[in-house]
């Protein structure tokens, strides 16, 4: 049985993490929908590969602005929040588990439960903590991530009108394992992604704190190294960008596994057939062979545009919610 203090700390981390995930996901949902549409499109997402390969079939989406206009015209404003309910059901437990496990691991490694002591962990330990926390959160929330992807990518007319019909349909056609399709590349992706995100976030925070200390000492104001909300936002922005750029190809592979067999309207392009890829490495090879390097980076622009503010909002919301909960519960 854990001590009351530890239970209270876990409650604060889980609640603050859930709030942070919900705020971040809702704010960035339009960018996520656009990103998913690009990732699951088999045709090129830019014009030059079409000309290079002498392909006559037009691509549904060829740019962020064009995709935004098409979705707004065909599906209305609500189309940008398609799949947001299962996304919230996925991201809230995900971030709750992630930040709770992260704090536990950092407490063990630092020998202290105080968050201010965790910032001085080495980058290597910060990376390991983030990777383990990301894996635990992914396994616990994955089916909702899969349903979110399917609902966001199906377009009009809808294959599944709501989350319940999607879960039932997936279970009938692909069995229980269908709810975990793409889990392997997701775990392979989340290890470097979560590790880089949390590792670089802590590193940027340390650099910013050192800069604040140097600046305040030069001004004769003591050695104030506290971080403002805007500085936390910038640290999260940089961390999210670094992690997403490195790990995007694995995210593309994951999305292909998640929507394989989905019978979308032909105007959204070729269908990803059921069992089109044998495994993650086969998927990487086939995408690279048929779509080139550009295929592995489909949706990279909306992905980075979404991931950077999403990471920033998540970290700022978590820090703010955590401080508020600590003041209320302690």
């Amino acid at each position: 049985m854990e001590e009351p203090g530890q239970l209270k700390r876990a409650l604060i981390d889980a609640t603050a993490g859930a709030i942070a995930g919900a705020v971040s996901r809702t704010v960035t949902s339009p960018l996520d929908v656009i990103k998913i549409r690009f990732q699951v499109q088999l045709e090129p997402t830019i014009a030059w590969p079409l000309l290079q390969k002498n392909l006559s079939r037009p691509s549904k989406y060829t740019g962020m602005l064009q995709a935004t206009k098409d979705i707004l015209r065909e599906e209305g404003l609500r189309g940008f929040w398609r799949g947001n309910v299962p996304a919230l059901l996925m991201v809230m437990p995900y971030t709750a588990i992630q930040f709770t496990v992260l704090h536990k691991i950092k407490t063990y490694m630092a020998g202290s439960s105080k968050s201010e002591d965790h910032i001085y962990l080495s980058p290597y330990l910060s990376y390991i903590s983030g990777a383990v926390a990301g894996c635990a959160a992914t396994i616990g929330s994955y089916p909702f991530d899969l349903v979110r992807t399917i609902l966001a990518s199906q377009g009009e007319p809808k294959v599944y009108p709501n989350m319940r019909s999607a879960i039932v349909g997936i279970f009938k056609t692909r069995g229980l394992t269908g709810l975990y399709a793409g889990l392997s590349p997701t775990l392979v992706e989340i290890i470097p992604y979560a590790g880089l995100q949390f590792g670089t976030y802590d590193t940027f925070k340390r650099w910013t704190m050192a800069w604040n200390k140097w600046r305040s000492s030069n001004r004769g104001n003591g050695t104030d190294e506290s971080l403002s909300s805007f500085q936390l936002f910038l640290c999260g922005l940089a961390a999210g960008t670094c992690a997403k750029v490195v790990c995007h190809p694995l995210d593309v592979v994951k999305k292909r596994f998640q929507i394989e067999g989905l019978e979308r309207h032909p105007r959204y392009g070729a269908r990803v057939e059921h069992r089109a890829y044998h495994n993650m490495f086969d998927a990487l090879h086939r995408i690279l062979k048929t779509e080139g390097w550009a295929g592995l980076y489909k949706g990279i622009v909306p992905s980075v545009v979404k991931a950077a503010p999403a990471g920033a909002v998540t970290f700022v919301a978590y820090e703010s919610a955590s401080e508020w909960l600590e003041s209320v519960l302690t």
Side-chain angles (χ1 to χ4, degrees):
M1 181 77 178
E2 290 186 323
E3 296 176 3
Q6 292 176 311
L7 288 171
K8 188 177 292 185
R9 181 68 253 178
L11 177 63
I12 290 172
D13 289 331
T15 306
I19 292 171
V23 172
S24 175
R25 182 61 185 78
T26 301
V27 168
T28 60
S29 178
L31 292 169
D32 197 49
V33 169
I34 294 171
K35 179 201 74 168
I36 290 174
R37 296 293 175 89
F38 277 123
Q39 289 179 320
V40 302
Q41 177 175 289
L42 299 184
E43 295 77 21
T45 56
I46 50 180
W48 67 266
L50 284 168
L51 298 173
Q52 187 182 48
K53 294 186 177 182
N54 196 28
L55 299 176
S56 58
R57 181 169 54 190
S59 297
K60 173 63 176 174
Y61 303 116
T62 56
M64 275 193 67
L65 184 59
Q66 178 266 332
T68 301
K69 290 179 178 178
D70 272 17
I71 294 172
L72 186 61
R73 183 181 67 252
E74 296 171 359
E75 305 169 43
L77 195 61
R78 293 180 63 181
F80 292 107
W81 277 269
R82 179 159 290 169
N84 196 49
V85 172
L88 287 175
L89 291 176
M90 178 274 292
V91 80
M92 290 179 72
Y94 178 90
T95 47
I97 295 170
Q98 187 177 45
F99 281 104
T100 302
V101 173
L102 183 72
H103 192 276
K104 282 287 185 184
I105 296 172
K106 285 188 172 183
T107 296
Y108 174 78
M109 291 180 172
S112 170
S113 63
K114 295 181 179 179
S115 298
E116 53 266 29
D117 294 331
H118 297 171
I119 193 66
Y120 298 107
L121 285 172
S122 70
Y124 173 75
L125 292 178
S126 292
Y127 177 93
I128 295 297
S129 301
V132 173
C135 285
T138 297
I139 294 171
S141 59
Y142 189 79
F144 292 112
D145 183 28
L146 182 136
V147 172
R148 179 279 308 255
T149 298
I150 288 177
L151 291 179
S153 64
Q154 61 182 348
E156 293 286 351
K158 297 178 182 178
V159 180
Y160 302 113
N162 52 49
M163 184 175 67
R164 181 181 177 278
S165 65
I167 293 173
V168 172
I170 294 167
F171 186 78
K172 284 183 177 179
T173 57
R174 300 160 71 179
L176 183 61
T177 57
L179 293 173
Y180 286 89
L183 179 61
S184 295
T186 302
L187 290 175
V188 172
E189 174 205 6
I190 205 64
I191 291 173
Y193 182 79
L196 280 171
Q197 187 177 36
F198 284 100
T200 54
Y201 178 67
D202 286 346
T203 299
F204 289 135
K205 281 178 68 176
R206 279 194 298 272
W207 290 349
T208 308
M209 288 169 66
W211 185 75
N212 285 349
K213 186 177 180 179
W214 174 82
R215 187 180 60 171
S216 61
S217 63
N218 282 351
R219 291 180 176 179
N221 297 329
T223 56
D224 182 24
E225 59 180 19
S226 58
L227 299 172
S228 67
S229 294
F230 181 67
Q231 287 177 323
L232 290 173
F233 182 86
L234 290 179
C235 290
L237 198 73
T241 301
C242 291
K244 180 52 69 175
V245 169
V246 172
C247 303
H248 187 78
L250 292 171
D251 192 37
V252 171
V253 171
K254 179 185 78 171
K255 293 295 188 293
R256 296 291 178 89
F257 274 107
Q258 288 180 329
I259 63 104
E260 63 179 12
L262 180 65
E263 297 180 357
R264 301 193 300 168
H265 193 279
R267 71 166 175 263
Y268 292 99
R271 167 186 171 185
V272 180
E273 298 296 336
H274 185 52
R275 300 191 182 281
Y277 309 114
H278 299 301
N279 51 51
M280 182 184 67
F281 298 106
D282 178 57
L284 284 168
H285 174 72
R286 286 172 181 262
I287 293 171
L288 193 59
K289 183 179 179 180
T290 59
E291 303 170 47
W293 282 101
L296 292 175
Y297 281 91
K298 283 181 176 176
I300 185 63
V301 174
S303 182
V304 171
V305 171
K306 177 250 178 182
V313 171
T314 299
F315 283 121
V316 172
Y318 171 77
E319 303 259 9
S320 300
S322 181
E323 287 182 11
W324 177 74
L325 288 168
E326 283 180 9
S327 67
V328 170
L329 298 176
T330 58

